Amino acid sequence: MGCKEFRFFVSYFTDSSGSPSSKIVFIFRGVTVLPFQQGQKCTSCIGIDVHQKILVCHLRDLRGSSIFDECREFRSFEGDLDALHDWVLERNPELILMESTGCYYQSVYDILEEPVLDNKAEFKIAVVNPRHVKGMQGKKTDESDASWLAQVGIMGGYTPSYIPNLKYRNLRAVSRDLVKLTQLLQSLKNRESKNFNLAGFRFNVVFSDAFGENARKAKALILTGVKPEDVVEQLQLNRLKSSKEDIVAALSGTLTPEMTFVLKSIHEQIIETENKIKAHIGFLKEKVLEDESDKRIFNILTDMPGWGEITALQFIVEVGGAEFVEAFSNCHKFASWLGVCPGNNESAGKRKSGRCRKGNAFLRRILCEVAQSAAHAKNTTFYGKYQSLVIRLKAKKSIFAIAHFIAKLVYHLVKNNEEYVEQNVDYRSKSCEKNARRWLNDISRYTGLDIVASDKYTGDVIISKADAKVGVVQSLMGIINERKINRRNGTPTQSP
């Protein structure tokens, strides 16, 4: 006999004191089974069905001698949100449960969080994935959805989503606007290049960077009507590989009044967008790095291959600072929340699609961008892992696997407060290569001693004059490189 999937409705019987007794009535209501392991049961809950225009709220209270239900509807304007705030404080539930419906829930969450932060109320606010609390098809109304959310909260059959604190939620607006500005800047550059090509100019042929210092100067002069021969005279030709004749030929195009108007407009937009991007980055740096815990995470990330200052700042803002380590019990749950781990879809012992969930689109973009850079950084763990994966998974899936690896690694480093140490790099030899000359100069300068450098194993004197610093460094580097080759080849260094 077949068995359909179902959902439980739980009703509590109360005893003489008004608290729920151990007797439970299960009512089947149907589509999927909810995960009951995460949420905590409570005796009063308000379920809020959030829409763009209205908020439908349902209170279910088991604290009295009988079940008390109340349904209210509020508009989503600022004044109505204040009325919702007052009504919630008056009812004082143990839990408020709402779905994460796009950006509409955020203003409701912010105004209901205020009394909790000010210690004027002790209720909990939980935001859940709509897929986890989806109602039965064909019997769906706003009131029934709010009622079902309240009942789910009573049962504890919900998985609360991780919501960063107010500081990072506000900084997310700056970080995500920075992403859009960066995309806009690239779009403007593409449009400018296309229009210059249409007019017969070939900047990409003679300039290695079509938006470098020389190229920008040439474009600005051409748009003001300066002739190509005069433009070339004002460029730094010693930094260009192309000949003077080729540059003049590449800058000899024809600009109509219409094309000049369009290019000037685009050029001004590029400069304005670049200034906005600099302001956004400066604002993020100021706000994020003022916290010591965020500064520590920033230093950990920037020491890793593939991470830059901007990606590190955006990552810290999106995950909510160091709080994400406490919100997720292990690295696997953190990677699942990010949406960079394989999905599970198994039925009847057969594994079907392993497509990953959507997760946080901005964090996925950051991690894939970092993975793309780290996977091509030679002599690193990420490079070796990518080369082993790309054979069977191809490029895109391999990059996604590296992003998954990086997410778990970042979790462990932040949780254990450890710095990233590359296993394939000899940091001592790198430090010596970088600082040997300065060390020798300082010894000679501050002690007045002649430096005698000799081989540790053979005892041969390499140099014995303090003023021949370059020769000392070159000889020392030769020995270091020879030892490095011997270690790589497995050849032991003989002691005297």
Side-chain angles (χ1 to χ4, degrees), residues 123-136:
F123 54 76
K124 297 180 180 179
I125 309 174
V127 179
V128 295
N129 192 325
R131 291 186 178 183
H132 297 169
V133 292
K134 188 176 181 180
M136 186 172 63

Side-chain angles (χ1 to χ4, degrees), residues 192-483:
E192 186 184 69
S193 297
K194 179 180 178 181
N195 283 298
F196 269 117
N197 286 329
L198 289 174
F201 296 90
R202 297 294 181 266
F203 289 95
N204 291 322
V205 175
V206 294
F207 296 105
S208 58
D209 183 5
F211 292 91
E213 183 179 348
N214 273 323
R216 283 173 180 266
K217 191 173 183 179
K219 290 176 182 178
L221 292 172
I222 286 173
L223 291 177
T224 56
V226 180
K227 295 182 179 180
E229 294 79 5
D230 299 331
V231 171
V232 173
E233 297 298 330
Q234 301 186 41
L235 299 181
Q236 299 180 14
L237 298 179
N238 58 333
R239 300 177 61 181
L240 299 174
K241 293 182 179 180
S242 302
S243 63
K244 186 176 181 179
E245 292 75 16
D246 289 342
I247 297 174
V248 172
L251 301 183
S252 299
T254 304
L255 283 177
T256 62
E258 295 81 6
M259 189 65 73
T260 303
F261 174 79
V262 171
L263 285 170
K264 282 184 176 180
S265 175
I266 296 175
H267 189 69
E268 292 173 359
Q269 291 181 61
I270 289 176
I271 296 175
E272 182 183 358
T273 306
E274 287 177 339
N275 292 333
K276 288 181 179 180
I277 289 175
K278 291 179 182 178
H280 279 60
I281 296 173
F283 185 84
L284 280 178
K285 258 190 174 181
E286 179 185 353
K287 293 296 182 181
V288 172
L289 299 184
E290 66 184 9
D291 191 340
E292 288 300 324
S293 61
D294 292 343
K295 194 173 182 180
R296 175 177 60 85
I297 299 174
F298 178 81
N299 293 332
I300 290 174
L301 294 179
T302 51
D303 287 343
M304 296 174 62
W307 290 89
E309 289 189 354
I310 299 176
T311 51
L313 290 171
Q314 291 177 326
F315 181 85
I316 293 171
V317 169
E318 288 294 335
V319 299
E323 293 181 356
F324 76 92
V325 177
E326 301 175 358
F328 301 98
S329 58
N330 55 56
C331 63
H332 306 290
K333 292 184 179 180
F334 176 59
S336 176
W337 177 73
L338 296 177
V340 293
C341 66
N344 290 324
N345 186 5
E346 185 177 341
S347 180
K350 297 180 180 179
R351 184 173 176 83
K352 299 181 181 180
S353 172
R355 183 182 296 273
C356 62
R357 58 190 295 273
K358 292 184 178 180
N360 187 315
F362 291 92
L363 278 172
R364 285 181 59 174
R365 180 196 63 80
I366 292 171
L367 286 172
C368 289
E369 181 180 324
V370 170
Q372 181 75 31
S373 177
H376 295 86
K378 294 186 177 181
N379 299 324
T380 63
T381 303
F382 306 106
Y383 179 80
K385 189 172 181 65
Y386 175 77
Q387 295 298 327
S388 65
L389 290 173
V390 73
I391 300 172
R392 57 187 178 88
L393 295 181
K394 303 306 179 185
K396 289 186 177 180
K397 288 186 177 180
S398 300
I399 291 297
F400 202 75
I402 297 296
H404 183 202
F405 177 65
I406 291 175
K408 295 190 292 184
L409 179 60
V410 168
Y411 179 89
H412 283 295
L413 292 176
V414 175
K415 184 175 182 178
N416 301 324
N417 194 19
E418 297 177 355
E419 295 182 357
Y420 176 77
V421 177
E422 180 58 59
Q423 298 178 356
N424 298 333
V425 176
D426 188 351
Y427 284 95
R428 284 195 171 185
S429 65
K430 278 189 169 293
S431 177
C432 186
E433 291 175 10
K434 180 179 179 181
N435 300 310
R437 179 176 297 183
R438 178 173 58 83
W439 291 340
L440 296 174
N441 287 339
D442 290 344
I443 292 172
S444 176
R445 178 181 177 183
Y446 294 111
T447 64
L449 300 176
D450 287 340
I451 301 171
V452 178
S454 61
D455 193 314
K456 176 181 178 181
Y457 297 102
T458 63
D460 298 335
V461 175
I462 301 172
I463 195 165
S464 59
K465 290 185 179 180
D467 54 352
K469 301 179 181 70
V470 178
V472 173
V473 174
Q474 291 177 348
S475 301
L476 290 176
M477 291 306 104
I479 294 176
I480 291 172
N481 291 331
E482 182 182 354
R483 302 264 169 78

